[in-house]
Amino acid sequence: MGVADPTSGHSQALFSFSGRAGGLAVVDGATLVSDSASGTIWRVALAGTATPIVVTPARLKQNSEEGSTRLSTPAGLALSPDGSLFVADSTRHRVCAISPDGALRVVAGGANGYRDGSGTEAMFRFPNDVAVAADGTCYVADTGNDRIRVISPDGIVTTVAGSIYDYGDGRGPHTRFRRPAALDVDAEGTCWVADTGNNAIRRIAPDREVTTLAGEPAGGDTSGPGSGLRWPTGIAAATDGSLWVADHGNSAIRRIDRQGHITTHLRLSGRRWPTVVALGGDRAVLVAGAALEDVREPRAWVMIIGDER
């Protein structure tokens, strides 16, 4: 497939398909990738063999009663402690879960709007990503509402941070995000957010204080401390405390340490852009993105790059 810069010997093309990569997760050594265009979730083995584990026929992607029991536009994916796969079903404005036996249930949401509450009483606006903490709490990048929400293990939705489309650190509704598209939760309970419209990586501490780790609204393309991101759309927290970021606007994969220093790990060539990132075993970094070599047929791809630390 040749998605990476040919000067890099540390990448392995894994899978490509016609569609739009919405989310990545690693489960039992295999990679799961969602196709937001077709409503499919693929399971990809290390050898590149792909099997669809969720398929939504086109006739069910409309707002029909039958279609409501299927995914419409699966975006972010996250594995929960009980083995369920949480999915941000973006255009249906909800978060779903797929149990290990394949049954799908709506965890929260289902209508376009903003409201905290229990289960389907809560409302989201185009949620784009999910991350599940060790205690089963699900964090949601409620992109269209410019907020970060949480769903408790018993299904209660509350707002952690954010209010209006803007930029600002602080706590609760006094903080500001611009279309946050991705998040991840580390072992310490810190939530890391790719604040896409602000070209920044934000930190939500366990006490819910929000600070900026790297980047700024003006954007940039530099390594080291300071601004260096442009439209980040994917983030993954590593066990060593570093963060991996799909720097979509700069066609790059970046690594950020806890002091906010940015390192460019890989830059893609041609009309290719990274969208999401996840971490696998053996220090592997998985990346999915978009390719527009033929504008008549947009394609998505998944590849593995090595961790060079």
Side-chain angles (χ1 to χ4, degrees):
M1 184 172 53
V3 296
D5 189 307
T7 61
S8 173
H10 303 281
S11 62
Q12 173 192 344
L14 192 62
F15 178 55
S16 67
F17 55 94
S18 295
R20 185 172 69 251
L24 280 174
V26 179
V27 180
D28 296 331
T31 300
L32 302 184
V33 56
S34 62
D35 177 8
S36 298
S38 70
T40 303
I41 298 178
W42 297 89
R43 181 183 180 92
V44 187
L46 187 60
T49 305
T51 305
I53 62 170
V54 174
V55 179
T56 302
R59 65 183 177 83
L60 296 183
K61 285 175 67 62
Q62 307 302 317
N63 291 323
S64 64
E65 182 178 351
E66 185 181 9
S68 68
T69 64
R70 307 291 287 270
L71 296 174
S72 179
T73 50
L77 306 174
L79 191 68
S80 73
D82 69 359
S84 296
L85 181 69
F86 277 64
V87 185
D89 194 9
S90 186
T91 60
R92 289 197 184 275
H93 315 290
R94 65 188 186 178
V95 173
C96 297
I98 303 171
S99 67
D101 65 4
L104 183 142
R105 65 182 175 90
V106 177
V107 177
N112 186 351
Y114 170 68
R115 183 169 65 205
D116 288 338
S118 177
T120 56
E121 295 177 356
M123 299 172 72
F124 299 94
R125 181 171 286 122
F126 300 105
N128 196 69
D129 198 16
V130 287
V132 183
D135 65 355
T137 300
C138 178
Y139 286 74
V140 183
D142 190 4
T143 307
N145 280 317
D146 305 302
R147 291 169 167 89
I148 305 304
R149 318 279 293 279
V150 295
I151 308 172
S152 68
D154 57 357
I156 306 299
V157 178
T158 55
T159 300
V160 173
S163 54
I164 62 174
Y165 180 86
D166 202 347
Y167 172 74
D169 290 337
R171 190 185 297 271
H174 302 292
T175 61
R176 304 286 191 268
F177 296 88
R178 288 191 175 112
R179 301 297 185 261
L183 46 71
D184 199 8
V185 181
D186 65 20
E188 299 172 355
T190 298
C191 179
W192 299 95
V193 182
D195 188 5
T196 307
N198 279 318
N199 301 307
I201 301 302
R202 317 288 294 280
R203 176 183 186 267
I204 304 178
D207 66 0
R208 301 193 172 184
E209 181 76 18
V210 177
T211 55
T212 300
L213 175 70
E216 61 182 12
D221 185 10
T222 57
S223 295
S227 66
L229 303 169
R230 184 169 287 114
W231 209 249
T233 56
I235 191 168
T239 55
D240 69 348
S242 65
L243 302 169
W244 290 85
V245 176
D247 190 4
H248 183 88
N250 288 318
S251 298
I253 306 301
R254 321 296 280 267
R255 180 175 177 266
I256 306 176
D257 67 20
R258 284 296 176 93
Q259 287 71 49
H261 288 74
I262 300 172
T263 303
T264 301
H265 190 79
L266 180 69
R267 196 175 295 272
L268 305 179
S269 62
R271 296 172 61 83
R272 303 178 180 94
W273 299 269
T275 304
V276 290
V277 63
L279 301 178
D282 299 326
R283 305 203 317 184
V285 181
L286 294 104
V287 183
L292 287 178
E293 294 162 326
D294 184 347
V295 295
R296 297 167 298 181
E297 187 185 1
R299 296 192 65 80
W301 47 264
V302 181
M303 70 176 180
I304 301 174
I305 61 177
D307 179 349
E308 297 177 350
R309 289 173 296 161

